Structures are given as C-alpha cells and as structure tokens.
C-alpha cells in the first residue's frame, strides 16, 4: 500500500514541480496528477513517489495565503503560504512608484504583511533621494528597511525569523543578490537543481523557496512588471489606499470615479499635495482598468 509524503513545493515550472521532503537532501521532481496547474511555490502537498527522485502530487493542502503575478494576458500563481512580502526597490535602475503601490495593495489584499526594502544604499545621492521619496509610505504606516545587499544585510535577519517571506519587485532591484547574501548555500542549491532549466542569464525566471530554519523561509521571485489584482473589485481597491480609505462613500455621487465629479472627497483630500494627487491617479487608473475588464 502506497502512503503519501508531505512536502513543500520549492519551485514550479509549468506542470513540473520540485518538492522538498523533510530529511531529504535533494527535492523530488514531481508532476501534478491530471491536467491541473493549480500549484504554487510554497504550497504544502501530498506526493506519491513513482521512482528514484520522482513523484506525483496527489493533493494540495489548504493555503494560508496566495499571491498572484500578472502578465499581459492573465494572472498566474506566484506563491502560497507566505505571511510577509519584502517589496524590493532601488535607486538604480529607477523603481516604479506605481508598481510599488500595486505591490503594497496586493500584499494587503492577500493578508500578507508588506515591508518595503530599499536596496543599493551604497549608491550615494540617488539612494538618499529614494529614501526621502519613500518617507510618504512610512508615514502611511508601511515598514521600511534600507540597506545594501552588497555590504550588509544584517538589518533583514530579525525580520525573517518565524516568517515565510517573499522578495518581490521589478527586475534588477537586487532580490536574488539579497537571497544569496541571506541564504549561505542559495547559489549552490539553485544551480544543483535547476541547471537544465536555467537560461544562463542572471535574471530569475521562476519563484524559488529556501528554507532558513524550521519555521522561517525566504522565496525569491522573478521581476514583476505587474502585480495580479484582477480578483479585487474597484471599491475594494479604494480600501487599500490608506490615505483615502476612511473616505469610502463620502463623495457626493455613490458611483464617483474621483475624476471630474463635483464634491469628490478623495480629490479634495489630494488637492495641493503632489504625492497624494499622484496616488489618486494610481487609484483611478487601477479602477478604470478594472471597469474596462468588467465590461469586456
Ligand atoms: N550597487 C549595488 N548593486 C547591487 C546591490 N544589490 C544588487 N545589485 C546589483 O543589481 C543587479 C541586479 O541584481 P539581481 O539580484 O539579479 O536583481 P533581481 O531583483 O533578482 O532581478 P530579477 O531576477 O531580474 O528580478 C546585479 O548586477 C547586482 O549585482 C546593491 O546593494 N548595490
Ligand atoms: Mg533575481
Ligand atoms: Zn470621488
């Protein structure tokens, strides 16, 4: 009689998965039974071994959280069971403030604690300017850690303890460099298991889970252009803009789009404050995109 084994999905490539089992050195290469592609990095699964180093995923455990990534066509699963999102930005290449906003919303909406990481603090004046610009988010209550992955990552270590954290953000911000600094054998682990799947470039192509200790783990993820927010309604989106969230329902019109309507509570609050006006533009852009989708 075959009994299933419980493991953690450490990488997902299409319908192929690597599953780490307790007490096993190397992950097991698995496929999903049937045609489903409903599994994400970080999922807890039951597998049956089918041969040396091989197995089949039979069932997926219930998730504590689920994050999506989006490309031009559709949303895909990014990671499951994380409780902290480390959103990495850097002065060079210039980070997108709008994408940062979307990452913060995606985390808040998924019940995942967002933390902003400003990396590449070794870059002088540009880094100081980025830090000053990010103060807006600190004032909204988002935690911020600034550091240089090339110099000293010790500020991050206490934050990782007891959490499953995921590094997210644009390409080139330094997510993988942070992983390599924080996980001693990360490079070795990545190379040993995904050499055949690696295109040889530096850029990360799939999320990967690194266990740090019994109750902490760190997930590296590919650079994002978009964060999956398709599951949120336009009204729900409003609730995640912390500087406007208390104004829900206070515009003159119930269906106010906060664009040109008279007596718009959000426009009134943003008026004369460049950063708030910018954030309101992100909000209305997101809502318009959602309405457009709902009508098509
Ligand atoms: N100056 C400086 N450069 C850094 C720092 N951290 C990373 N870099 C550089 O930034 C570049 C991109 O780093 P990666 O770690 O590959 O970036 P990533 O976020 O993983 O990118 P993707 O995998 O494409 O999403 C590399 O050339 C790193 O050496 C830092 O703290 N300071
Ligand atoms: Mg990377
Ligand atoms: Zn309004």
């Amino acid at each position: 009689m075959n009994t299933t084994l419980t493991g953690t999905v450490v990488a997902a490539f299409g319908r192929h998965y690597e599953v780490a089992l307790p007490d096993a050195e190397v992950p097991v290469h698995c496929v999903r039974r049937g045609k489903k592609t409903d599994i994400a990095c970080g999922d807890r699964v039951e597998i049956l071994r089918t041969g040396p180093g091989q197995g089949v995923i039979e069932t997926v455990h219930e998730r504590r959280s689920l994050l999506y990534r989006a490309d031009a066509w559709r949303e895909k699963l990014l990671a499951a069971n994380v409780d902290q999102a480390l959103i990495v930005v850097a002065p060079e290449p210039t980070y997108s403030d709008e994408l940062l906003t979307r990452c913060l919303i995606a985390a808040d909406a998924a019940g995942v604690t967002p933390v902003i990481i400003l990396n590449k603090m070794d870059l002088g004046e540009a880094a100081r300017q980025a830090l000053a610009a990010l103060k807006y988010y600190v004032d909204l209550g988002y935690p911020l850690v600034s550091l240089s992955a090339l110099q000293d990552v010790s500020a991050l270590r206490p934050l990782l303890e007891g959490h499953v954290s995921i590094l997210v953000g644009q390409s080139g911000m330094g997510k993988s460099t942070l992983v390599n600094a924080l996980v001693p054998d990360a490079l070795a682990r990545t190379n040993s298991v995904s050499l055949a799947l690696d295109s040889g470039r530096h850029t990360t192509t799939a999320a990967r889970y690194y266990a740090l200790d019994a109750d902490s783990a760190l997930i590296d993820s590919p650079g994002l252009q978009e964060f999956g927010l398709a599951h949120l309604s336009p009204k729900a989106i409003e609730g995640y803009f912390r500087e406007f969230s208390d104004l829900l329902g206070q515009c003159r019109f119930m269906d106010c789009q906060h664009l040109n309507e008279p007596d718009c509570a959000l426009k009134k609050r943003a008026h004369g404050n460049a950063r708030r006006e910018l954030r309101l533009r992100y909000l209305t852009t997101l809502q318009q995109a959602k309405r457009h989708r709902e009508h098509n």
Side-chain angles (χ1 to χ4, degrees), residues 235 238 248-258 261 263 291:
K235 270 279 165 259
E238 239 169 86
L248 262 162
Q250 291 190 27
C251 299
R252 185 201 293 186
F253 298 108
M254 282 271 285
D255 59 349
C256 184
Q257 302 196 10
H258 323 304
E261 294 89 342
D263 289 330
R291 292 199 185 92

Side-chain angles (χ1 to χ4, degrees), residues 6-27:
T6 308
T8 303
V9 176
V10 294
F13 309 93
R15 295 192 51 236
H16 294 265
Y17 305 93
E18 289 172 12
V19 177
L21 299 172
D23 314 320
E25 278 276 302
V26 194

